[in-house]
């Protein structure tokens, strides 16, 4: 019942014609720095960023950093800006600003894990452990100016087995369901990147099969936890092409 959204990630290729083409086709945009935000402003001035397009702000954005300041300024211009929290310290300037803002939470999730507890062992410089995630969710819920809309868990890149990919996403899906029961505004499950690209001549990955398995697994898990199915977000152009075909 949810939508499948695609985000082009600025770090993949910031060449103007590539960014212009992606945004012009209505793709959402994922950024990691204030420089990326300047690119978005240029594209927005050319009419290539519509109000419905999400600008997802990943990456570290500490208090007092230029990236944090620019996010707060840009969010006043573009309501569909989502500031993804990588660390609890990033929450304080957002709360103190008093500015209405949509936010997301990112959890440590790199690598293989069989359950929610194992995700805390992930070797990831991005995202929070489970304890910090719950505490951040409580702080967001108590802040009158913040709205939690997105949960982000990225496993890594070039995972070549569709079944393994979906199996590794099952623990993050379960955490999403717990968060959704706690905070009803949450509506987007963001599995980030990781969907592989063909780097060798013998490359094989069934994008359509992966997407169907992902959605079926998410649907079954949400039914078990009695929460609505979310929208799904991933930065995967090849996956978009496969589904459209």
């Amino acid at each position: 019942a949810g939508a499948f959204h695609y985000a082009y990630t600025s770090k993949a290729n910031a060449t103007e014609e590539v960014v212009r083409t992606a945004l012009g086709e209505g793709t959402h945009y994922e950024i990691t720095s204030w420089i990326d935000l300047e690119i978005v402003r240029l594209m927005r001035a050319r009419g290539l960023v519509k109000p419905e397009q999400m600008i997802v702000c990943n990456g570290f954005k500490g208090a007092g950093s230029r990236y944090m300041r620019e996010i707060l300024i840009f969010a006043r211009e573009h309501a569909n800006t989502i500031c993804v929290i990588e660390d609890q310290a990033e929450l304080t300037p957002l709360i103190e600003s008093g500015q209405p803002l949509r936010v997301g939470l990112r959890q440590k999730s790199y690598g293989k894990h069989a359950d929610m507890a194992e995700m805390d062992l992930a070797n990831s410089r991005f995202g929070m452990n489970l304890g910090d995630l719950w505490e951040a969710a409580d702080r967001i819920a108590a802040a009158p100016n913040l709205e939690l809309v997105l949960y982000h868990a990225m496993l890594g890149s070039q995972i070549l087995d569709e079944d393994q990919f979906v199996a590794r996403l099952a623990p993050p899906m379960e955490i999403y369901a717990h968060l959704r029961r706690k905070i009803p505004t949450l509506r987007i499950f963001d599995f980030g990147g990781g969907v592989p690209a063909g780097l060798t001549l013998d490359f094989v990955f069934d994008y359509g099969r992966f997407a169907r398995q992902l959605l079926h697994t998410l649907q079954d898990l949400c039914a078990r936890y009695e929460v609505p199915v979310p929208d799904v977000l991933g930065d995967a152009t090849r996956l978009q092409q496969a589904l459209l075909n």
Side-chain angles (χ1 to χ4, degrees):
F4 209 126
H5 299 296
Y6 313 94
Y8 182 76
T9 175
S10 186
K11 62 180 176 286
N13 189 335
T15 306
E16 181 185 354
E17 55 266 32
V18 176
V19 174
R20 187 175 63 237
T21 300
L23 289 174
E25 290 296 322
T27 302
H28 305 284
Y29 201 56
E30 184 262 321
I31 67 173
T32 56
S33 71
W34 68 266
I35 297 173
D36 292 337
L37 209 44
E38 290 301 302
I39 294 173
V40 177
R41 284 196 173 100
L42 288 171
M43 295 296 106
R44 191 169 180 269
R46 297 180 186 183
L48 293 171
V49 178
K50 308 299 182 187
E52 63 272 16
Q53 284 172 274
M54 291 181 281
I55 305 301
V56 181
C57 304
N58 286 328
F60 295 119
K61 52 193 82 64
S65 68
R66 181 167 181 177
Y67 189 22
M68 176 64 80
R69 293 196 303 271
E70 295 295 339
I71 288 171
L72 289 170
I73 294 169
F74 184 76
R76 291 196 290 268
E77 307 165 6
H78 188 79
N80 213 357
T81 300
I82 302 175
C83 183
V84 180
I85 307 303
E86 306 271 1
D87 182 271
Q88 280 225 52
E90 297 176 0
L91 264 177
T92 302
L94 298 179
I95 295 170
E96 291 178 348
S97 75
Q99 179 178 321
L101 190 67
R102 295 171 181 170
V103 297
L105 291 173
R106 181 170 185 174
Q107 185 175 7
K108 290 170 58 177
S109 53
Y110 273 26
K112 186 177 182 179
H113 34 257
D115 55 39
M116 293 188 293
E118 282 191 5
M119 291 178 69
D120 274 353
L121 304 177
N123 183 21
S124 174
R125 62 194 176 102
F126 293 109
M128 292 174 278
N129 61 37
L130 194 54
D132 284 344
L133 187 84
W134 296 132
E135 187 174 336
D138 287 337
R139 292 179 66 192
I140 292 169
N145 63 313
L146 301 184
E147 179 187 15
L148 180 63
V149 298
L150 180 147
Y151 166 77
H152 179 27
M154 179 177 168
L155 302 178
S157 61
Q158 291 298 113
I159 301 172
L160 299 175
D161 183 274
E162 303 100 51
D163 295 323
Q164 184 183 91
F165 202 153
V166 175
R168 290 188 187 186
L169 280 172
M173 291 180 194
E174 195 168 356
I175 291 169
Y176 171 88
H178 282 289
L179 274 173
R180 177 60 180 77
R181 295 181 77 170
K182 188 182 185 71
I183 304 180
T185 57
L186 183 62
R187 60 179 183 272
I188 301 170
F189 177 79
D190 180 359
F191 67 90
V195 178
L199 301 179
T200 62
L201 293 175
D202 61 349
F203 170 80
V204 176
F205 187 86
D206 190 333
Y207 299 98
R209 180 172 180 269
F210 162 72
R212 289 190 295 273
Q213 283 187 268
L214 171 65
L215 296 180
H216 282 305
T217 304
L218 189 55
Q219 183 169 279
D220 291 345
L221 190 142
C222 287
R224 178 154 38 101
Y225 280 91
E226 299 182 328
V227 297
V229 294
D231 289 352
V232 176
L233 176 67
D235 42 313
T237 305
R238 287 178 178 267
L239 178 57
Q240 179 180 15
Q241 292 170 344
L243 291 181
L244 290 175
N245 292 335

